[in-house]
Amino acid sequence: MSAIYMNRELSWLHFNRRVLEEAQDSSTPLLERIKFLAIVSSNLDEFMSVRAAALMDQAKARISKKDFTGYTPGGLLCRIMKRTEKLVADQYRAFRGSCKELEQQGIVFLTFDELSQDQQQAMEAYYYENVFPLLTPMAIDQCRPFPLVHSQNLYLSILLKHDFGTPNEEPYFAILQVPSNLDRVIRLNSPAGDRRTTYILLEELIKRWLPKLFSDYTPVAVDVFRLTRNADLTIDEEGAEDLLEEMEKELRRRRWGTPVRLEIVRCFHPYALKLIMEEFELGSGSIFTIDGPIDLSFLMNLSSSLPGQDQLRYLKAEPVYPQEFMETDDLFKVIRQRDVLVFHPYESFEAVTDFIADAANDPAVMAIKMTLYRVSGDSVIVRSLALAAEAGKQVTVVLELKARFDEERNIAWAKKLEQAGCHVIYGLVGLKTHAKVALIIRQEESSLQRYVHIGTGNYNDKTSKLYTDIGLFTSHPRIGEDVTAMFNEMTGYSTPHDWKALCVAPSHLKPALFEYIQREMAHAKAGRPARIIAKMNSLSHREMVDQLYEASLAGVQIDLLIRGICVLRPGVPGLSENITVRSIVDRFLEHSRVFYFKNGDETQVWLASADWMTRNLTRRIELMCPIYDTRLQELAVRYLQLQWNDNVKTRQLMPNGKYVRILSEGPPVRSQFDSQEQILSWKREGEDETKLS
C-alpha cells in the first residue's frame, strides 16, 4: 500500500527543500537568496510546532497504528527529524556562502571586537539606552524554579562562577531572553572612508555587557538557544459559551505547549545543555545544533531594507490596475455588463479593496456580506466594513477565529467590527470557514442586484503582493443566489442548499469533484476527449488520489500543478502512467486553485479556495465556483498552460518521489521560459491579457 502513496509530512519536507534550492541557486539574485533562507526557517517553525508536535503527542501516547503510507507516528517522527537535520545543515551552508558573497558586495556582519572605536562607543550608548532596561536575568536554583521559556524566542544560557566562591563549586545557572520587540539586526555607522554596510546582531551586544547584569559573578559560558513548543489549539467549541473568550483562553494556554524542538549553537556547554534538556524533557533526537545564528527569519527584513542594492534583487514588480476597471469610477457598472477575472499579484489587489470601499460609500448599497480568514495588520477592507456599518448598512462578517497563528489578530478585528456595528459570526462549530467570498447587495431601479467577488486567496492586501491568486468579479444570478444561500447557512439554521452554481464543502465539494473525475473517465472509455488540469497547493486526500489513479487507468490525461504536498506517485506503470505532477517555486508563492475538466467538448473551469486535502474537503467551509464566461475560461486555461510550459522554476515529481528540474531532464533543451517573469514582463510593457496565449 505504501508503495503507491508518498507520506504527507515527508512530501512537505521535499517542498521546503525546493524552497532552499532557490536560496542555493546562483541565478537567483543575492538578496532574494537570503530571503528564501528566511522562508525556509519560517516554514520549519510552523511545521515543527504543528505537524511534528502532533506526531510527538501520538508517539508519547504509544499509538503504533500505521497510516496509509506505512508509517507509525514514532517511526515517521524519527525520519522527519533526521531529514530536517540534513535540511538545516544545508540551509546554513548556503547561508555561509551567501555571507561571503554579501561581503564582496560590501554588506558585512561584524562581531563587537571587529568594530571601530567610534562604533563600539555608539553601540555601548545604544545598549544602555535601548537594550539594558528591557533585560531580565533569571537565575535558576532551589528557590527560583525554571521560568517560562516562550516558544520561538531567543534566549541566552549563562553559566556563572561566584567571584568569591570555592574552586570546585558547581556553576550557577541563569537564562536571559533576547528582547523580541527590538530589531535583531542593528545597522552601524561606518567610519569615514569605509563604504561597507555593516551590521551587528542584538545578541552579540547583550553578550558583550553581560557581566554588568551579574555583580560579583563572572560568566564562564554564554550560549544561545531557542525552544519550539506545540502550537496547536484544542478548543471545545460545543461546550464554549463564548467562542471568542474561549479562543483568548486557549491562546494563553499555548504559551505552555509541550516542547518539540530545541535549537542550540555549536559548542553549547554540556552542563547547561543537560539542565535545559531535563527541564524540557527532550531527547537528543529533538536537539538541533546550529552552525550560525539561530533563526534566520531575520534575513527577510534585512533583504528588503538594504538601501541602494536593487541590482541584487528581482526587478521591481508593480501590480497594474485591471484593465477592465481602468477607465471607470463605477466598478458595479462594469461587473453588471461582464464578468472580470483578476490575476494577483500581476494585477493590483486594489480592485478588491476598491470594490468593498465603493460599496461602503455607495448610498445604493444595502448590505455587505463577507468572509475573512487572514487579513493584514492594517486592513483597508476591515476599515471599509466598519465605515459601512457606521453608515447604517447591514454588514455581516464571517470571521474565522481559528485561522492558525492569526488568532490574536482576528480576535482584535472581531472586536473592532462589532464595535462599529457589524454582525460578526465566528463560523460553524467544528468547521473552519476558509471560503473567500464577498457579496454586495445594491438597490437598482425597482430590484436588488447582487455583486460577488470570489477568490482563491485571502482578503489580505499585504500577501496579495507576494502570492499568486485569482479573483472573479461577477453579477451572474445563479452565483449570486448560491452565495446568498451559503451565507444563510453560515449565519443561520438554513438547511443545505440545492446548489445551482457553487460546490461547497464539506457537504457537496468532494462528491462533485468525484463526479467530474468519473465523468472524464466515462468520456475516455467512450473515445471522447478527456483531460484534467488541476492547480493547487497540496494533494493529500487518499480517496481523491485513488480517484485520480482510476482515471489514469481509464486513459484520462491528468496534469497536476501542485506547489507543496503531493502524496500521489505519478508515472507508476500500471497505475499512474497518465499523470504528471509539477511544482513551481519562484519569487511569488503559487497559491491559486484552478481546476479544468475537458468534459468531451464542453469545457468546465473552476476557481476554488480548497486544496485537495482531507481538512479542506471534510472539515472546512470551502467553495468552488464555475467560470461561465467562455472568454474567461479560455484565459484561465491559457494561464494554466503558460505555467505548465515553465522550464526554469519548475520541478517534476518522478515515480521514485524525487523532484527534478525540467531543464535537467536532458536534450532537447528548450529556450528558458519562466512563467512568472514572463507575465511580469508583459505587464511592464502594458500588454493585455491576450498575451497569456
Side-chain angles (χ1 to χ4, degrees):
M1 188 70 69
S2 61
I4 66 172
Y5 305 105
M6 288 181 289
N7 180 268
R8 169 189 164 143
E9 273 63 47
L10 298 180
S11 179
W12 183 91
L13 285 173
H14 274 300
F15 161 65
N16 213 27
R17 169 68 66 177
R18 297 195 293 281
V19 176
L20 176 58
E21 286 173 2
E22 292 301 301
Q24 297 168 319
D25 188 345
S26 60
S27 68
T28 303
L30 180 56
L31 292 181
E32 307 297 344
R33 272 185 261 158
I34 68 171
K35 189 181 291 186
F36 278 112
L37 288 172
I39 294 170
V40 170
S41 289
S42 300
N43 286 350
L44 271 177
D45 282 349
E46 182 171 347
F47 179 75
M48 284 290 164
S49 62
V50 178
R51 303 303 305 179
L55 289 169
M56 188 173 286
D57 285 347
Q58 293 173 42
K60 284 181 178 177
R62 301 186 182 278
I63 295 173
S64 57
K65 182 181 177 182
K66 292 182 179 180
D67 63 18
F68 71 91
T69 64
Y71 285 96
T72 63
L76 180 56
L77 182 64
C78 181
R79 193 156 188 181
I80 281 172
M81 292 302 191
K82 286 181 179 178
R83 289 200 183 182
T84 302
E85 186 177 21
K86 175 69 166 59
L87 178 74
V88 171
D90 291 343
Q91 178 194 17
Y92 276 83
R93 193 173 297 112
F95 169 70
R96 291 190 293 275
S98 294
C99 284
K100 290 179 182 177
E101 292 189 55
L102 287 169
E103 287 179 19
Q104 293 169 6
Q105 298 293 332
I107 303 164
V108 186
F109 290 94
L110 299 175
T111 64
F112 188 85
D113 291 335
E114 293 173 318
L115 304 187
S116 68
Q117 186 174 354
D118 287 345
Q119 287 175 327
Q120 289 185 355
Q121 290 175 352
M123 286 299 98
E124 184 174 12
Y126 176 85
Y127 172 80
Y128 280 109
E129 289 173 14
N130 300 285
V131 182
F132 180 77
L134 300 177
L135 299 180
T136 305
M138 294 174 282
I140 298 165
D141 52 32
Q142 290 179 332
C143 298
R144 291 168 288 194
F146 219 103
L148 172 67
V149 172
H150 294 282
S151 184
Q152 297 174 6
N153 276 218
L154 285 182
Y155 285 81
L156 299 183
S157 159
I158 308 160
L159 288 180
L160 306 118
K161 66 176 183 180
H162 198 289
D163 292 345
F164 307 105
T166 60
N168 296 323
E169 70 179 355
E170 284 193 345
Y172 295 86
F173 181 53
I175 66 172
L176 177 67
Q177 182 178 356
V178 177
S180 58
N181 50 359
L182 292 178
D183 289 336
R184 172 106 181 261
V185 180
I186 304 164
R187 185 174 176 182
L188 303 158
N189 291 323
S190 297
D194 188 348
R195 296 184 177 179
R196 298 180 304 170
T197 304
T198 53
Y199 296 94
I200 190 169
L201 293 177
L202 177 60
E203 59 264 34
E204 293 298 318
L205 288 189
I206 296 173
K207 285 184 195 177
R208 176 70 181 184
W209 284 285
L210 205 55
K212 299 293 184 182
L213 289 169
F214 300 96
S215 57
D216 295 335
Y217 292 84
T218 300
V220 294
V222 182
D223 299 300
V224 181
F225 72 92
R226 182 172 181 259
L227 182 70
T228 299
R229 295 182 180 273
N230 186 331
D232 215 8
L233 300 179
T234 305
I235 302 168
D236 179 13
E237 294 184 60
E238 293 187 1
E241 292 184 11
D242 185 322
L243 183 58
L244 188 144
E245 190 176 298
E246 187 66 25
M247 280 294 303
E248 290 179 316
K249 289 179 184 176
E250 191 63 27
L251 285 170
R252 289 192 288 270
R253 286 194 288 268
R254 180 187 266 173
R255 299 174 189 170
W256 284 269
T258 306
V260 177
R261 171 186 62 164
L262 179 67
E263 297 167 276
I264 61 173
V265 294
R266 286 181 62 210
C267 303
F268 203 99
H269 196 285
Y271 180 83
L273 181 58
K274 181 173 179 290
L275 293 176
I276 292 171
M277 289 176 66
E278 287 176 353
E279 171 63 25
F280 298 143
E281 299 180 353
L282 287 172
S284 58
S286 298
I287 313 298
F288 290 81
T289 302
I290 305 299
D291 190 6
I294 291 176
D295 182 19
L296 295 182
S297 62
F298 71 86
L299 293 173
M300 181 66 77
N301 288 335
L302 179 69
S303 66
S304 57
S305 63
L306 269 167
Q309 298 289 351
D310 288 346
Q311 77 280 8
L312 303 181
R313 298 186 177 94
Y314 292 126
L315 285 175
K316 274 197 174 180
E318 292 294 337
V320 300
Y321 204 75
Q323 187 177 8
E324 293 87 344
F325 300 142
M326 192 81 76
E327 297 178 1
T328 182
D329 292 328
D330 189 348
L331 300 187
F332 300 115
K333 180 179 178 181
V334 175
I335 300 167
R336 192 161 56 246
Q337 293 170 347
R338 58 184 278 195
D339 290 356
V340 177
L341 209 56
V342 180
F343 295 82
H344 308 298
Y346 314 107
E347 294 176 298
S348 175
F349 192 73
E350 287 181 12
V352 180
T353 58
D354 287 349
F355 180 63
I356 304 302
D358 288 358
N361 294 315
D362 187 344
V365 169
M366 311 296 288
I368 304 173
K369 301 183 181 185
M370 193 168 188
T371 60
L372 293 177
Y373 189 73
R374 297 188 195 277
V375 292
S376 63
D378 184 26
S379 174
V380 177
I381 285 177
V382 171
R383 291 204 303 269
S384 294
L385 293 171
L387 287 172
E390 288 166 355
K393 301 184 192 302
Q394 186 186 87
V395 180
T396 304
V397 181
V398 181
L399 196 154
E400 183 49 73
L401 294 182
K402 303 184 292 295
R404 186 178 288 132
F405 302 120
D406 275 333
E407 299 96 344
E408 290 184 52
R409 178 179 293 165
N410 285 2
I411 287 171
W413 282 132
K415 291 177 178 178
K416 179 180 176 64
L417 288 167
E418 286 178 334
Q419 289 168 0
C422 299
H423 300 294
V424 181
I425 310 298
Y426 304 140
L428 299 181
V429 173
L431 300 172
K432 280 187 180 180
T433 304
H434 192 249
K436 330 292 185 184
V437 57
L439 171 65
I440 310 294
I441 301 168
R442 191 169 186 267
Q443 180 70 54
E444 295 180 2
E445 297 176 354
S446 60
S447 64
L448 294 176
Q449 175 68 48
R450 298 182 181 102
Y451 296 90
V452 174
H453 174 269
I454 290 174
T456 65
N458 295 308
Y459 288 112
N460 188 314
D461 51 305
K462 300 293 190 294
T463 58
S464 68
K465 297 174 183 175
L466 307 172
Y467 297 3
T468 71
D469 274 303
I470 302 177
L472 174 69
F473 294 92
T474 182
S475 60
H476 197 288
R478 287 203 294 273
I479 294 176
E481 184 180 333
D482 274 5
V483 168
T484 301
M486 181 180 176
F487 274 106
N488 289 341
E489 283 195 21
M490 289 189 289
T491 62
Y493 288 111
S494 297
T495 55
H497 181 63
D498 181 17
W499 307 105
K500 295 179 175 61
L502 304 182
C503 300
V504 178
S507 60
H508 180 228
L509 178 54
K510 184 175 76 169
L513 286 169
F514 285 2
E515 177 188 336
Y516 300 149
I517 293 171
Q518 290 162 7
R519 187 178 61 191
E520 295 301 313
M521 293 167 57
H523 284 305
K525 290 174 181 177
R528 294 187 293 270
R531 190 181 183 195
I532 298 170
I533 306 175
K535 182 179 187 300
M536 66 194 86
N537 300 325
S538 299
L539 168 61
S540 63
H541 190 274
R542 180 180 178 179
E543 291 177 72
M544 186 65 72
V545 171
D546 290 342
Q547 285 283 313
L548 293 172
Y549 283 154
E550 284 187 41
S552 171
L553 290 171
V556 180
Q557 181 186 344
I558 303 170
D559 295 330
L560 303 176
L561 278 161
I562 302 175
R563 184 198 77 221
I565 297 166
C566 179
V567 305
L568 179 148
R569 199 180 290 273
V572 176
L575 179 69
S576 55
E577 292 167 290
N578 291 316
I579 304 178
T580 305
V581 178
R582 292 182 179 177
S583 170
I584 294 176
V585 178
D586 203 344
R587 66 182 294 178
F588 302 126
L589 182 79
E590 290 294 340
H591 192 255
S592 55
R593 292 96 167 183
V594 189
F595 310 137
Y596 161 85
F597 298 93
K598 181 66 175 172
N599 190 27
D601 292 317
E602 298 180 14
T603 295
Q604 281 190 334
V605 183
W606 303 79
L607 299 182
S609 61
D611 295 313
W612 292 355
M613 305 178 74
T614 301
R615 68 185 187 193
N616 297 93
L617 299 177
T618 62
R619 299 196 300 272
R620 289 185 173 187
I621 297 175
E622 306 270 14
L623 68 81
M624 184 171 76
C625 176
I627 299 176
Y628 284 128
D629 187 312
T630 55
R631 180 186 57 86
L632 296 185
Q633 281 186 359
E634 292 170 3
L635 182 61
V637 173
R638 288 202 297 271
Y639 176 72
L640 291 174
Q641 195 61 55
L642 183 78
Q643 294 221 296
W644 192 259
N645 290 336
D646 189 310
N647 61 6
V648 175
K649 295 299 184 179
T650 298
R651 285 88 167 169
Q652 184 157 317
L653 177 57
M654 309 309 287
N656 62 4
K658 300 204 174 189
Y659 285 82
V660 299
R661 285 186 181 269
I662 297 294
L663 281 177
S664 67
E665 290 183 359
V669 177
R670 297 173 292 160
S671 59
Q672 292 195 348
F673 184 82
D674 183 326
S675 58
Q676 290 189 5
E677 285 302 318
Q678 189 62 69
I679 298 174
L680 282 172
S681 174
W682 290 331
K683 293 299 179 185
R684 288 189 197 104
E685 295 166 7
E687 301 286 355
D688 64 21
E689 63 195 23
T690 58
K691 286 290 275 187
L692 284 177
S693 61

